[in-house]
Amino acid sequence: KAKQLGKNQCVFFNNSIYEEFINSFALTNEILHGIEFEEFELYFQPIYNTHSRTITNAEALIRWNHPKRGLLSPFSFIPFAEQSYIIEKLDFYVLEKAFQAIKSFKQENLNIILSVNLTGRTFLMDNFVDQFRKLLSAYAIDTSFIKIELTESIALNDENKARNHMDALNSLGINFSMDDFGTGYSSILSLKKFPFSNIKLDQNFVMDSQNNKDSEIINSNLLNMLNELNFETTAEGVENEFLFFLFNYLPCDLLQGYFISKPVDYKRFVSFVKNFTPDIAFMEFKKDNTR
Ligand code: C2E
Ligand code: MG
Ligand code: MG
Ligand code: MG
């Protein structure tokens, strides 16, 4: 009983404003320290191209090699970081690592278009375009290998600024992808208000096609519409053979998910791409279902 009471007291303290302040102060410092000591690492998730049947793209996903807590998922620190300027530091750290990776791919003779996630807060910084240009000029890379993933929430705060920043990067040759389409406030009308070239169907949306015929109908018609609107399309969350075949059959350009590969570190990514050959069963499937 006493132990239980002690536990409850502890919970009470954890929830106090003071504790919260101390914890967030500590985490902020840990992240800053982590940036300084390069504890953050980019993992790469291969993205399969249904036309060439090879890996033509990848998404850079941040991981934290925490000295005490091990490898941490972005869910354990990105939402926290997004509440302050910390996310701006992290996002630029990721951009720099992504530019380095694009340079290394080139040296390995790999043509991989790399997608990088940017938070709205970072993208809408007043000096974002300047800072981006500065970083870019330090790395002599072909900008057509960079893709930036944004969620529709970037438009919530300042639509004009969002469009201006997108146009500025567009004129540098950088393409944009709308992430997590089909969730939240994503609206079809807003699609054409911004210069997105790629639309990523949200993974929950994709996975729902597995056991929900209505959802399959929605995905199928959505993809047809996006094609007619000249968007390149990506399905995220392609976790199994069923979804892989379904979205190959539907007019979807790029497939991303555990069925193809989980996100892996740089070395494993390079060897995955170099050794990738489409499964023989898949080749047979393709022959019978040419679209
Ligand atoms: P996201 O951009 O939508 O990234 C896709 C997430 O889905 C990744 O999780 C990926 O590992 C996971 N995923 C991919 N295929 C499958 C699948 O078949 N099944 C399932 N269940 N999951 C799959 P991850 O790496 O944990 O990243 C989570 C989120 O954190 C990302 O969602 C993105 O919003 C954010 N994030 C990751 N890296 C960065 C970054 O460098 N900067 C910023 N600002 N956010 C990041
Ligand atoms: Mg993403
Ligand atoms: Mg996504
Ligand atoms: Mg997602």
Side-chain angles (χ1 to χ4, degrees), residues 35 42 62 78 81-82 85-98 116-123 125 128 132 135:
I35 291 173
L42 290 194
I62 195 171
I78 291 283
E82 280 176 336
Y85 75 99
I86 293 293
I87 193 63
E88 299 168 8
K89 295 216 160 220
L90 268 180
D91 278 345
F92 269 93
Y93 178 97
V94 168
L95 273 177
E96 179 154 18
K97 295 284 170 199
V116 183
N117 295 283
L118 286 182
T119 302
R121 180 177 172 123
T122 306
F123 195 72
M125 284 161 62
F128 173 77
F132 186 92
L135 185 62

Side-chain angles (χ1 to χ4, degrees), residues 23-78:
N23 284 338
S24 81
F25 184 71
L27 187 51
T28 296
N29 281 324
E30 269 191 279
I31 294 174
L32 290 174
H33 177 274
I35 291 173
E36 195 182 340
F37 291 88
E38 310 235 345
E39 290 168 6
F40 295 95
E41 181 182 357
L42 290 194
Y43 270 41
F44 302 89
Q45 187 170 30
I47 299 175
Y48 176 84
N49 187 308
T50 60
H51 307 289
S52 67
R53 301 178 213 172
T54 57
I55 305 298
T56 53
N57 294 58
E59 179 171 7
L61 295 156
I62 195 171
R63 300 289 181 266
W64 188 358
N65 290 304
H66 193 280
K68 290 192 203 93
R69 283 178 280 151
L71 194 68
L72 300 182
S73 124
F75 290 119
S76 66
F77 58 92
I78 291 283

Side-chain angles (χ1 to χ4, degrees), residues 53 248-249 282-291:
R53 301 178 213 172
N248 253 290
Y249 173 73
F282 167 65
M283 301 291 278
E284 291 305 310
F285 171 85
K286 245 340 226 202
K287 255 194 284 176
D288 300 338
N289 294 277
T290 37
R291 53 166 190 261

Side-chain angles (χ1 to χ4, degrees), residues 4-23:
Q4 219 165 6
L5 192 74
K7 242 186 190 165
N8 284 340
Q9 267 172 350
C10 195
V11 167
F12 171 76
F13 274 118
N14 276 338
N15 287 334
S16 78
I17 289 165
Y18 177 72
E19 279 288 314
E20 229 167 76
F21 171 76
I22 293 295
N23 284 338

